[in-house]
């Protein structure tokens, strides 16, 4: 019994480590980028502020999945595991919808994995049917993920990240992507 309790404590420590460091750092990067991209696009200050909030909270649904995905960092996810991970945007939306957040924040979180060509999730939205905030988060989230160390690979340098994103340009709104590139290149 004591061994089981000690394993639970170790597991809890690991979950907190995973969630509070890697995920929070990722949220900060996405938040800062989303705000800067919205400013670069000339959007009003309130929208830009809402994008900063959405960027910070966009992966909050992963907290509901940590017990499931924790410990899987070094192993490729199986197809049935991926379906649970893909639920994080819907779970985040459900968690926040009654907490007083704006529709901009909520819709951005719910649809931040939609691809411009309609191949994303959770609803296979395409082009302008994807809320603008979600299109902004999509670009910023991909950049933040590729430019950060992951348990299974090292971070890519900025030029490699941009090349990889250009290879998948079908996923992004071109206007958002161009504004994003101006932000990234101005900060180098």
């Amino acid at each position: 019994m004591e061994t089981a309790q000690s394993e639970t404590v170790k597991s809890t420590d690991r979950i907190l480590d995973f969630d509070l460091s890697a995920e929070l750092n990722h949220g900060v990067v996405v938040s800062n980028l989303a705000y800067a991209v919205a400013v670069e696009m000339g959007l009003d200050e309130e929208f830009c502020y809402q994008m900063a909030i959405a960027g910070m909270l966009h992966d909050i649904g992963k907290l509901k999945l940590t017990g499931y995905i924790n410990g899987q960092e070094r192993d490729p996810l199986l197809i049935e595991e991926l379906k649970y991970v893909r639920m994080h945007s819907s779970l985040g939306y459900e968690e926040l919808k009654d907490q007083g957040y704006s529709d901009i924040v909520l819709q951005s979180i719910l649809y931040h994995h939609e691809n411009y060509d309609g191949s994303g999730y959770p609803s296979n939205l395409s082009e302008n049917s994807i809320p603008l905030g979600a299109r902004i988060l999509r670009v910023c989230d991909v950049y933040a993920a590729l430019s950060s160390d992951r348990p299974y690979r090292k971070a890519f340098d900025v030029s490699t990240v941009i090349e990889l994103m250009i290879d998948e340009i079908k996923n992004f709104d071109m206007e958002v992507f161009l504004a994003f590139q101006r932000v990234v290149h101005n900060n180098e």
Side-chain angles (χ1 to χ4, degrees), residues 26-165:
H26 175 73
V28 168
V29 171
V30 174
S31 175
N32 290 336
L33 277 172
Y35 178 85
V37 169
V39 168
E40 179 65 30
M41 292 178 71
L43 301 169
D44 68 76
E45 182 59 32
E46 180 59 26
F47 187 91
C48 297
Y49 174 72
Q50 295 298 316
M51 290 312 306
I53 294 170
M56 191 65 219
L57 297 174
H58 77 283
D59 278 344
I60 198 162
K62 287 182 179 178
L63 291 172
K64 295 275 188 191
L65 298 172
T66 55
Y68 184 79
I69 62 175
N70 192 46
Q72 302 293 327
E73 297 94 344
R74 287 178 179 75
D75 299 325
L77 294 174
L78 303 172
I79 290 173
E80 56 271 9
E81 292 172 324
L82 275 175
K83 76 177 181 184
Y84 291 107
V85 173
R86 286 184 169 196
M87 292 171 53
H88 81 274
S89 57
S90 299
L91 291 170
Y93 171 84
E94 289 298 322
E95 186 68 28
L96 297 174
K97 72 179 182 183
D98 296 323
Q99 303 297 321
Y101 291 98
S102 71
D103 281 341
I104 292 168
V105 169
L106 295 173
Q107 297 297 306
S108 297
I109 289 169
L110 179 59
Y111 297 119
H112 77 272
H113 279 286
E114 296 289 356
N115 291 327
Y116 202 68
D117 71 348
S119 65
Y121 61 90
S123 300
N124 299 105
L125 300 179
S126 65
E127 300 180 3
N128 292 334
S129 63
I130 304 167
L132 178 58
R135 288 181 270 151
I136 292 171
L137 285 185
R138 183 73 180 123
V139 171
C140 299
D141 187 32
V142 169
Y143 177 84
L146 291 173
S147 62
S148 300
D149 286 338
R150 297 295 174 140
Y152 50 89
R153 65 153 173 80
K154 288 291 190 189
F156 294 105
D157 62 84
V158 173
S159 62
T160 302
V161 170
I162 299 298
E163 285 177 33
L164 290 169
M165 292 176 77

